[in-house]
Each structure stands twice: as C-alpha cells, then as structure tokens.
Amino acid sequence: MNDILNQLEKCMIVPVVVLENSKDAKPLGEALCNGGLPCAEVTFRTEAAEESIRIMSESFPEMLVGAGTVLTTEQVDRAVNAGAKFIVSPGFDEEIVDYCLEKGITVLPGCATPSEVAKAVKRGLEVVKFFPAEQAGGLPMIKAMAAPYTMVKFMPTGGINPENVKDYLAFNKIFACGGSWMVKNTLVENQEFDKICELSKEAVTIAKSIRG
C-alpha cells in the first residue's frame, strides 16, 4: 500500500464529514485532531466541501484530508487542488478510478458486489470502500467477498456505529471503518466541537481495544 493508505489504516476510523458552511472546517479539524482522529473524508455533497478541504488541509498539515462522494473527474481535480490526499466514490465509477490511477491519486471506490471488487482487483487496487455497509450485508457480506479476493481490504461505511465497529475492526480484512457518529450534522450545526472531540477520543479508545 502507498503512504496515504498506510496513514489511513493507522487511523482505523475515518470520520465522514458533511459541512454546510466552510467556517466550521477549522474548529472541526481541530476537534478531530485533538480527539486523536487526524483524518477526514469530506463529502462533496455540499457547496462548502471544496473550501472546507482547503481550510482543513492548510490549517492542519498533519491531518489526512480526503474527498468523499466524488461523482465526476472534475470534482477529483477540484478536491485535489484544494488539498485532498485521497478520493472516495460511493460506487465503482470506472472513469473516476482510471482517471485517479493515471494521475497517481489514491482512490477508494465503492464496491458492494463481487463484480465491482473484481474490477478493482483488475486495476491493482488493494483497498475499496464497502458501501452502504450495513444495508449491503454488513460484515457477513464482506467476509464472503474477502474469501476469493484475498488481496483486497475493505473500508465499510454506512451504518457503522460504536456498537458494531468493534466487530468490523476485529476482522483482518477490514482496512478501516468510515463513520459519522462523532461528526453528526447536528453537532456541527450546534457548534458542539468539544463533544465531537470527546466522541472522537471514545472512537479511538474503541478502535485501540481491538487493534492495540
């Protein structure tokens, strides 16, 4: 795995962030870093996403900031230019994956079926996103797909919470887990960054209890 993937794997839990206002990017980044989660997948669903990635990347150089819900190659360019170190897509979009690989950009495409994992393997990818995790069969589905595709690790996202994250992390083919429970929209909107920091610390404690 490349350096970006190695850093992400060490985080164990990747906060999936939706920001409606870029002014929240700096205090959120600070809360995550202080909470022991110096990484974030900032979803490109909002107009504030690009600027939020820029602010986080510039304010916290130690933080690994990526872009999620990337649906076009134009968004790839915008995200990377803003400072994103990795790209995550909800599904397996061949155009986006091939574009990122050509440009040497770390990409984690969404895969929910063996056919999609096969496309990833064909391109030499070692890590894929499994989305929507709980709705697509959860850990049993990942274990079933990991059996034939032994060279692939999975980053489940969607429905991951403090109760089930332990089970996921206990499986050796889980790369890391994407989660939003520590960065819920309501917490950001209400400026509860102390709470976000606290929940991040708790998430780290849970992860370390499984992976040391």
Side-chain angles (χ1 to χ4, degrees):
M1 286 191 288
N2 66 31
D3 187 48
I4 299 296
L5 289 176
N6 283 329
Q7 288 180 62
L8 262 184
E9 188 171 33
K10 285 176 186 172
C11 289
M12 295 183 280
I13 295 174
V14 180
V16 179
V17 174
V18 179
L19 284 170
E20 298 291 346
N21 195 319
S22 60
K23 72 174 175 59
D24 295 324
K26 189 169 182 179
L28 178 60
E30 185 175 24
L32 290 172
C33 288
N34 289 342
L37 284 178
C39 60
E41 176 191 322
V42 181
T43 62
F44 239 70
R45 297 180 207 171
T46 69
E47 291 184 10
E50 186 176 355
E51 184 60 21
S52 296
I53 289 170
R54 182 173 285 108
I55 290 169
M56 276 190 189
S57 300
E58 292 175 355
S59 302
F60 308 99
E62 74 278 17
M63 196 173 182
L64 194 61
V65 184
T69 323
V70 174
L71 306 178
T72 65
T73 55
E74 183 253 346
Q75 286 182 335
V76 172
D77 288 337
R78 285 169 53 203
V80 171
N81 289 337
K85 296 293 191 298
F86 61 95
I87 297 294
V88 185
S89 59
F92 195 97
D93 186 308
E94 294 183 22
E95 185 184 8
I96 288 174
V97 173
D98 292 342
Y99 185 77
C100 287
L101 290 176
E102 283 169 20
K103 290 184 170 286
I105 300 164
T106 299
V107 59
L108 293 87
C111 294
T113 66
S115 297
E116 291 168 329
V117 176
K119 290 181 182 179
V121 169
K122 197 173 182 180
R123 288 163 170 80
L125 295 179
E126 297 174 85
V127 182
V128 298
K129 176 177 181 171
F130 180 65
F131 177 82
E134 283 291 283
Q135 296 85 343
L139 191 54
M141 182 63 170
I142 292 176
K143 287 182 175 180
M145 291 199 297
Y149 297 111
T150 57
M151 67 296 289
V152 177
K153 287 192 173 184
F154 299 83
M155 183 170 81
T157 307
I160 309 296
N161 57 53
E163 284 69 51
N164 62 21
V165 71
K166 285 185 181 181
D167 293 332
Y168 280 99
L169 289 175
F171 183 47
N172 66 351
K173 293 299 181 181
I174 298 297
F175 168 76
C177 289
S180 58
W181 76 88
M182 76 295 290
V183 287
K184 282 182 183 174
N185 291 9
T186 50
L187 292 173
V188 176
E189 288 165 10
N190 296 330
Q191 308 288 294
E192 294 182 71
F193 298 110
D194 287 345
K195 181 68 174 175
I196 289 171
C197 182
E198 182 185 320
L199 289 170
S200 298
K201 286 178 181 176
E202 289 173 7
V204 171
T205 299
I206 292 170
K208 285 184 175 177
S209 74
I210 301 299
R211 295 200 170 177

